Amino acid sequence: MESVVASISSSSSSPIGPLIPVTRHSSTAPRTQIPSLSLPQTNRMSGPPSISCAAQHTSSAQTAQARPKEAKLWGGRFEEGVTDAVERFTESISFDKALYKHDILGSRAHASMLAHQGLISDGDRDSIIGGLAQIEKQIEDGEFVWRADREDVHMNIEAALTDLVGEPAKKLHTARSRNDQVSTDFRLWCRDAIDVIVERIKLLQVALVTLAKKNEGVIVPGYTHLQRAQPVLLQHLLLAYVEQLERDAGRLVDCRVRMNFCPLGACALAGTGLPIDRFMTSKALGFTAPLRNSGDAITRNSIDAVSDRDFVLEFLSANSITAVHLSRLGEEWVLWASEEFGFLIPSDSVSTGSSIMPQKKNPDPMELVRGKSARVVGDLVSLLVLCKGLPHAYNRDLQEDKEPVFDSVKAIIGMLEVSAEFAQNVTFNQDRIRKALPAGHLDATTLADYLGVPFRTSHDIAGRSVGLCVSKNCQLQDLSLDELRSINSVFDEDVYEYLGVENSIKKFSSYGSTGSECVASQLDEWITRLIS
């Protein structure tokens, strides 16, 4: 994972800096080191600049059909080829070439297992592995010719391998179907994508904790129903988003654990009669075990292995919840940056202007974070609808599972990166916030707690006190003791120790509350977990 993250970070223009290793989210399963996470540029979305796919650099001349169609690798029982329209409609190489690293990785492991089991010779294995290395280099160098008539990433690589090494390449698909092959590739890709997203979540958490540390003691209005409610420390509010992000990371790590089981060797759906060792390939690829985990036992059902896309649905569900959290952060900061609030000031480096109104300064990055959450949720819905009517086992419909996942991952990484960058380039207008605090009688609940009578009675007394303030256009702390006692004789002179937002904040003491000591403890804990 570290090499995956390092590859993305090294090409990023983000000033966030080097990634911090995350031990709390690490899986106990061994991980295969993948040098980069490939995310194709599709018409669904242009990805963040930190993500690149070597396959993207293939020229249009290379991908064009500049040569006669060759016979399909599966074409033995067919007397004629497919039409151009069918070929255009069914190809997936335009997007699934993003899986090339994982496809090559799986083929290396499979060839090694076949040789170990005596199904191919050591010489054949070496030829296959050597040829795959050449193909990988050609792809990385932008020299590989992707052919639509070879349909997908698997057939492109296998056919190219046959062109390179001849007969040994024809043995590679022994005891393997594209059904288990693509599921294996996709699990490997998603596994690495999760590792990258979890690191990006931590970067945003660090940015929010750093921002909180810079704003010690700042009190802001807390809202319910978007109406003034109670005073809270700004640090407390910022840490609420850190807590949400922690759950987001936890969901992704849990998803990764369930995902990390190997379908390779399940073949088309029924397995094989050949003496393969599925545990060997599983271990070589860093999976926990063959197939997947069901409760406390490992299932041994090859039909489920090739048809299961729960791991994708769970992954996109976790991404969608993360996107919703980021959208809520975006909404709050967009509101706070408005003239009506004026609590937050983005720097010019994270703002944009208007083509017609010269005075405008817009927090566009967070508006787009809010907007892109819709596409992440939409990607999940697309996959749910795709899977809802499929009979067992594999169906060609599942070719359509890749683009929504690629899109979701690109979007969520971009949203996390720009949110962290935005957090590092904002300040809070403390003077504006201070002037806004008196409105709304934020200390009314603290007053109710002070009274020491049954809460429904104290609620009524505090409510009538607020009503008096409204009629006098003043604050609770501006009422005289006589005025308060005209409402109820329970009031005493110490009531003023509970009135005003500063005094109100001092009275919060419950676990997890917005009291100064509680928030300081929360902040220290997050600094220790994320930064120290």
Side-chain angles (χ1 to χ4, degrees):
M1 179 186 73
E2 287 143 359
S3 60
V4 176
V5 175
S7 172
I8 291 179
S9 296
S10 64
S11 62
S12 175
S13 59
S14 170
I16 294 172
L19 291 168
I20 305 165
V22 182
T23 57
R24 72 189 197 284
H25 295 319
S26 61
S27 170
T28 56
R31 295 184 183 176
T32 305
Q33 294 298 312
I34 308 295
S36 66
L37 176 66
S38 298
L39 285 158
Q41 299 290 349
T42 70
N43 58 9
R44 277 176 167 265
M45 174 181 181
S46 57
S50 59
I51 301 172
S52 63
C53 172
Q56 295 166 13
H57 304 307
T58 307
S59 69
S60 57
Q62 287 174 306
T63 56
Q65 290 296 315
R67 65 185 75 190
K69 294 179 185 177
E70 64 185 11
K72 304 292 186 184
L73 294 180
W74 45 259
R77 60 96 64 212
F78 290 86
E79 295 182 0
E80 58 182 335
V82 299
T83 67
D84 290 343
V86 169
E87 191 156 85
R88 286 194 302 270
F89 188 70
T90 58
E91 68 81 23
S92 60
I93 190 59
S94 56
F95 54 87
D96 69 13
K97 61 188 175 184
L99 301 175
Y100 76 93
K101 281 186 176 295
H102 304 87
D103 192 73
I104 290 171
L105 189 69
S107 290
R108 285 175 181 147
H110 188 65
S112 296
M113 180 276 294
L114 292 176
H116 183 268
Q117 296 299 107
L119 293 169
I120 64 173
S121 69
D122 289 350
D124 287 341
R125 175 202 60 202
D126 294 342
S127 295
I128 289 169
I129 291 176
L132 290 171
Q134 292 181 56
I135 290 170
E136 184 172 23
K137 186 175 188 305
Q138 288 174 7
I139 296 172
E140 296 287 357
D141 292 344
E143 298 172 355
F144 188 79
V145 179
W146 296 105
R147 293 181 53 169
D149 62 334
R150 290 175 175 175
E151 300 179 4
D152 56 36
V153 63
H154 323 294
M155 302 295 265
N156 264 267
I157 290 174
E158 183 180 341
L161 183 65
T162 302
D163 292 342
L164 274 175
V165 305
E167 286 299 311
K170 297 180 181 180
K171 303 175 184 180
L172 176 59
H173 213 54
T174 303
R176 186 175 73 172
S177 163
R178 280 188 292 178
N179 296 356
D180 59 335
Q181 185 179 1
V182 69
S183 182
T184 302
D185 294 355
F186 207 19
R187 284 173 187 260
L188 288 169
W189 189 95
C190 290
R191 191 178 70 181
D192 290 323
I194 286 174
D195 292 340
V196 174
I197 294 169
V198 168
E199 291 288 358
R200 289 298 186 269
I201 287 174
K202 180 173 182 181
L203 286 178
L204 178 53
Q205 286 179 299
V206 169
L208 290 170
V209 168
T210 302
L211 188 60
K213 189 171 176 59
K214 292 178 181 178
N215 288 276
E216 182 177 359
V218 177
I219 302 171
V220 298
Y223 293 84
T224 63
H225 308 275
L226 206 56
Q227 304 296 316
R228 295 289 182 93
Q230 290 179 274
V232 297
L233 290 172
L234 176 58
Q235 292 179 323
H236 196 210
L237 180 60
L238 293 171
L239 292 179
Y241 285 105
V242 177
E243 295 279 356
Q244 288 182 332
L245 290 164
E246 185 72 3
R247 293 194 299 274
D248 294 332
R251 269 183 289 270
L252 286 163
V253 172
D254 289 345
C255 173
R256 190 188 193 282
V257 170
R258 279 181 288 277
M259 177 187 296
N260 201 40
F261 288 81
C262 185
L264 192 59
C267 300
L269 78 161
T272 179
L274 296 173
I276 62 173
D277 185 346
R278 296 192 57 215
F279 287 86
M280 179 180 175
T281 50
S282 174
K283 182 178 180 181
L285 294 170
F287 287 108
T288 304
L291 298 179
R292 63 183 184 86
N293 191 289
S294 178
D296 296 325
I298 299 172
T299 67
R300 297 173 175 85
N301 193 301
S302 59
I303 295 174
D304 182 56
V306 298
S307 60
D308 169 46
R309 290 300 183 272
D310 291 0
F311 70 96
V312 178
L313 295 173
E314 186 176 3
F315 182 21
L316 294 198
S317 177
N319 276 359
S320 295
I321 296 171
T322 302
V324 168
H325 289 158
L326 296 174
S327 180
R328 294 181 67 183
L329 174 64
E331 169 70 7
E332 190 149 76
W333 282 4
V334 167
L335 282 175
W336 280 27
S338 68
E339 288 293 335
E340 284 70 22
F341 279 80
F343 292 174
L344 181 143
I345 305 172
S347 73
D348 289 354
S349 63
V350 291
S351 303
T352 65
S354 165
S355 63
I356 189 173
M357 297 170 284
Q359 84 281 10
K360 291 296 295 297
K361 181 179 177 180
N362 302 322
D364 275 7
M366 299 313 291
E367 293 179 49
L368 281 171
V369 165
R370 187 177 59 191
K372 286 183 185 295
S373 65
R375 71 185 305 140
V376 177
V377 174
D379 290 329
L380 170 61
V381 174
S382 293
L383 259 293
L384 287 167
V385 176
L386 173 70
C387 293
K388 74 173 181 63
L390 297 183
H392 277 122
Y394 181 84
N395 296 272
R396 190 65 179 268
D397 311 52
L398 292 176
Q399 177 175 298
E400 293 299 302
D401 63 1
K402 312 297 181 305
E403 288 187 286
V405 174
F406 296 156
D407 184 62
S408 176
V409 170
K410 284 181 181 180
I412 207 70
I413 290 175
M415 292 164 70
L416 288 163
E417 288 181 340
V418 82
S419 295
E421 191 140 334
F422 199 85
Q424 294 175 90
N425 288 279
V426 298
T427 56
F428 291 95
N429 188 340
Q430 296 189 26
D431 183 60
R432 180 73 172 264
I433 293 170
R434 194 178 302 111
K435 290 177 179 177
L437 282 172
H441 309 289
L442 299 172
D443 48 357
T445 306
T446 311
L447 175 62
D449 291 340
Y450 154 81
L451 293 172
V453 296
F455 183 74
R456 285 303 168 203
T457 302
S458 65
H459 187 287
D460 178 70
I461 294 170
R464 287 191 283 132
S465 301
V466 169
L468 179 58
C469 289
V470 171
S471 68
K472 293 175 60 66
N473 192 26
C474 69
Q475 303 304 312
L476 286 167
Q477 62 188 344
D478 299 328
L479 295 176
S480 68
L481 186 57
D482 287 341
E483 287 173 319
L484 290 169
R485 284 176 172 169
S486 71
I487 297 170
N488 193 290
S489 61
V490 71
F491 287 104
D492 207 341
E493 292 181 356
D494 62 347
V495 66
Y496 295 103
E497 297 174 12
Y498 290 77
L499 298 180
V501 292
E502 291 84 2
N503 286 332
S504 185
I505 286 289
K506 293 175 184 177
K507 299 303 179 183
F508 289 100
S509 59
S510 62
Y511 178 79
S513 73
T514 199
S516 299
E517 291 185 6
C518 298
V519 173
S521 175
Q522 294 171 39
L523 183 60
D524 287 344
E525 180 180 346
W526 280 114
I527 290 172
T528 300
R529 293 174 69 177
L530 295 170
I531 301 174
S532 300

